[in-house]
Amino acid sequence: MQHQKILILDFGSQVTQLIARRVREAHVYCEVHPCDVSSEWVREFAADGQLKGVILSGSHASVYEVDDKAPDAVFELGVPVLGICYGMQTMAQQLGGKVEAGKTREFGYAEVRARGHTALLKDIADFTTPEGHGMLKVWMSHGDKVTEMPPGFKLMASTDACPIAGMADESRGYYAVQFHPEVTHTVQGRALLERFVLEICGTRPDWIMRDHIEEAVQKIREQVGDEEVILGLSGGVDSSVAAALIHRAIGDQLTCVFVDHGLLRLHEGDMVMDMFVGKLHAKVIRVDAADQFLGHLAGVSDPEAKRKIIGREFVEVFKAEAAKLISSGASTKGAKWLAQGTIYPDVIESGGAKSKKAVTIKSHHNVGGLPEQLGLKLLEPLRDLFKDEVRELGVALGLPHDMVYRHPFPGPGLGVRILGEVKKEYADLLRRADAIFIEELRSTIDHHSGKSWYDLTSQAFTVFLPVKSVGVMGDGRTYDYVVALRAVQTSDFMTADWAELPYALLKKVSSRIINEVRGINRVTYDVSSKPPATIEWE
């Protein structure tokens, strides 16, 4: 099925991906490409007749300092164009207007007056002034501003500091705003973007994960034919959904290799096997490599060194198992494909205008260059999807909600949640303490929202500290280990606030860990936000 689509040109903004996510949330397919694609590339992208509109992103740069501009073809296609922040400024400059450095910079909250009754802002307002002016609560982030609109444009929005905060040439379908509708701080941002893609561009809202399964299954079958596929199953969301989708498409032609490095959460290995072998009836080879990983980690305390060792050993173990499958150990033909859970943000980040390699976008998700080393073709069935879409797809494929909506878990597992040297004793203590914390978060309901505290936090986990402290148990003195609980709330993981968990919940978790996990006698709670701290401790 061919989807109508929106093209988003990225000028290097930190939040370009949010534009794409908002468009996808409106069930419209879109793609992000660097701003330095050629006009010829744009015409080719539009050649199938499915392109319905273009969005130009923001940027940290100034239009008069860099030569990043929209390809001329964007304004020759006859489709609506929306410029956001830098996108508005380059539209103004390219079409005959003027941009200058502002005397006052606007960063953060602003109130914008809507003007001119354009199709984009019609009946969209947060409040109305006593004079009857419709006002929008928005997020600004700019130093430069448009001082003269191009011929044919009319004023669409203004603030005291920025007289031209929005402009439109409705005869050509060109709209531009100085603020950022893609961020949650712009209250009506979603309504504005939906108005643009659904009504002004007239795009059909047919990008729905439930329906996407059949398309994806068909595509996998066409790609793979009757050949065999290997997939490294980590138990994480992306690899689990990729495995379920590929298994739906080709059944026993898929073999999953699940490497248990001894640093997984409590009973996680058994849960993965139960799900994929017990319920989906997929072929899974479980490799217990805990001794190998822990052996190589002995005596190593530097976080980066630990990550490298875990990554290297994973590749070695996986390569050894894959070699057996390639030489037809488990099949008659031998594997020809390596499947990976690459998702769309990985694809976007490995291209980009900064590299000036606009068209040669390739995935950076290939762990250790595995496809090349193994001589296999690469299968990436999730490479068009954002994380929230991957989760939706997983539920539609029948994976359990708890598995698909689990908090992020680092690739090196508990290896970076045990500070300093990793030992089996530490991993066993941490596993049990962490399981208690997560269990209590899941079972404690917040009365205001009706949600569990697990669902109200974006990431929660326990950290093992390699220090001992004095304690008292019964009539005896103890000298045992310390753990720290960490729970954060965030929308994008770039910044995060520590979660203000109820004292009663923290008290219960602490009491249970100290009573049930012999070897731990002190529990602390991390109240650092990001920045200045990071979410993980290592």
Side-chain angles (χ1 to χ4, degrees), residues 155-381:
L155 188 63
M156 182 169 69
S158 63
T159 70
D160 290 342
C162 184
I164 305 174
M167 61 182 194
D169 179 346
E170 297 201 276
S171 63
R172 292 186 284 178
Y174 297 162
Y175 297 85
V177 291
Q178 187 57 67
F179 54 87
H180 286 269
E182 68 272 32
V183 301
T184 50
H185 304 76
T186 297
V187 181
Q188 299 293 337
R190 178 179 288 194
L192 188 153
L193 286 167
E194 284 186 2
R195 169 75 56 81
F196 179 72
V197 298
L198 295 174
E199 295 179 29
I200 292 171
C201 297
T203 318
R204 189 172 53 236
D206 59 9
W207 182 250
I208 297 160
M209 286 303 99
R210 191 178 58 251
D211 302 339
H212 180 65
I213 293 174
E214 202 42 56
E215 279 176 62
V217 161
Q218 196 57 43
K219 192 173 172 186
I220 292 165
R221 286 176 183 160
E222 284 169 13
Q223 260 185 293
V224 171
D226 62 354
E227 294 175 335
E228 305 266 333
V229 179
I230 315 171
L231 179 138
L233 185 61
S234 68
V237 175
D238 301 339
S239 70
S240 296
V241 174
L245 179 60
I246 296 166
H247 184 260
R248 171 81 65 98
I250 59 172
D252 280 352
Q253 287 167 248
L254 170 69
T255 303
C256 298
V257 177
F258 173 47
V259 179
D260 185 343
H261 50 33
L263 299 167
L264 297 170
R265 289 167 284 199
L266 192 66
H267 307 314
E268 188 164 18
D270 295 338
M271 287 189 288
V272 169
M273 295 303 288
D274 178 59
M275 181 66 229
F276 285 92
V277 179
K279 296 192 174 65
L280 291 182
H281 309 297
K283 287 195 296 191
V284 183
I285 297 169
R286 182 176 183 173
V287 187
D288 182 357
D291 291 345
Q292 178 178 333
F293 278 83
L294 290 168
H296 284 285
L297 287 165
V300 179
S301 57
D302 178 68
E304 203 47 43
K306 290 194 294 186
R307 284 177 185 275
K308 283 186 174 141
I309 288 167
I310 294 166
R312 181 192 74 211
E313 291 309 307
F314 179 85
V315 169
E316 289 307 311
V317 173
F318 186 82
K319 273 166 68 176
E321 291 303 319
K324 298 176 197 171
L325 296 167
I326 294 164
S327 60
S328 74
S331 68
T332 50
K333 300 186 194 72
K336 298 284 191 291
W337 293 84
L338 175 69
Q340 293 189 157
T342 310
I343 63 174
Y344 198 39
D346 301 328
V347 178
I348 295 169
E349 284 159 16
S350 51
K354 296 176 206 74
S355 68
K356 296 296 173 193
K357 293 178 183 167
V359 191
T360 56
I361 295 181
K362 61 179 190 289
S363 168
H364 68 175
H365 202 67
N366 303 338
V367 181
L370 269 175
E372 295 83 2
Q373 290 178 38
L374 296 170
L376 297 175
K377 295 177 277 189
L378 192 57
L379 179 65
E380 298 175 310

Side-chain angles (χ1 to χ4, degrees), residues 499-519:
E500 297 186 29
L501 299 180
Y503 289 156
L505 168 57
L506 290 170
K507 187 176 182 179
K508 188 173 182 185
V509 172
S510 174
S511 173
R512 279 194 61 194
I513 289 173
I514 291 167
N515 282 305
E516 296 174 33
V517 186
R518 183 164 293 181

Side-chain angles (χ1 to χ4, degrees), residues 76-141:
E76 297 161 4
L77 294 170
V79 299
V81 181
L82 172 65
I84 294 173
C85 193
Y86 182 98
M88 167 167 163
Q89 293 167 12
T90 195
M91 180 189 283
Q93 193 171 68
Q94 288 181 241
L95 298 178
K98 278 190 185 164
V99 179
E100 293 173 15
K103 291 186 179 65
T104 53
R105 302 167 67 168
E106 278 191 299
F107 287 99
Y109 176 80
E111 291 178 358
V112 167
R113 177 181 163 187
R115 295 173 178 268
H117 305 292
T118 58
L120 185 66
L121 298 183
K122 187 178 188 305
D123 301 326
I124 294 179
D126 289 304
F127 66 96
T128 305
T129 66
E131 298 79 28
H133 304 314
M135 302 293 289
L136 295 166
K137 296 177 179 178
V138 305
W139 189 258
M140 288 279 196
S141 179

Side-chain angles (χ1 to χ4, degrees), residues 408-477:
F409 187 60
L414 301 181
V416 291
R417 291 181 178 172
I418 295 167
L419 301 196
E421 184 182 1
V422 177
K423 295 182 181 178
K424 184 178 187 302
E425 174 202 357
Y426 299 169
D428 290 340
L429 290 171
L430 177 56
R431 249 188 284 276
R432 291 163 58 209
D434 187 66
I436 290 168
F437 185 30
I438 299 304
E439 184 184 317
E440 292 299 336
L441 284 169
R442 285 191 186 280
S443 62
T444 306
I445 305 301
D446 170 60
H447 298 302
H448 295 298
S449 64
K451 293 180 175 180
S452 77
W453 272 100
Y454 185 84
D455 290 329
L456 289 172
T457 51
S458 310
Q459 198 168 1
F461 53 91
T462 309
V463 179
F464 182 87
L465 309 183
V467 293
K468 286 188 168 184
S469 75
V470 175
V472 179
M473 277 198 174
D475 295 327
R477 175 182 180 278

Side-chain angles (χ1 to χ4, degrees), residues 373-406:
Q373 290 178 38
L374 296 170
L376 297 175
K377 295 177 277 189
L378 192 57
L379 179 65
E380 298 175 310
L382 309 179
R383 65 175 283 124
D384 292 333
L385 306 182
F386 284 101
K387 190 74 165 197
D388 38 2
E389 294 173 319
V390 171
R391 294 188 200 278
E392 281 178 49
L393 188 67
V395 171
L397 283 163
L399 293 177
H401 187 275
D402 282 358
M403 176 190 243
V404 170
Y405 281 90
R406 251 186 345 179

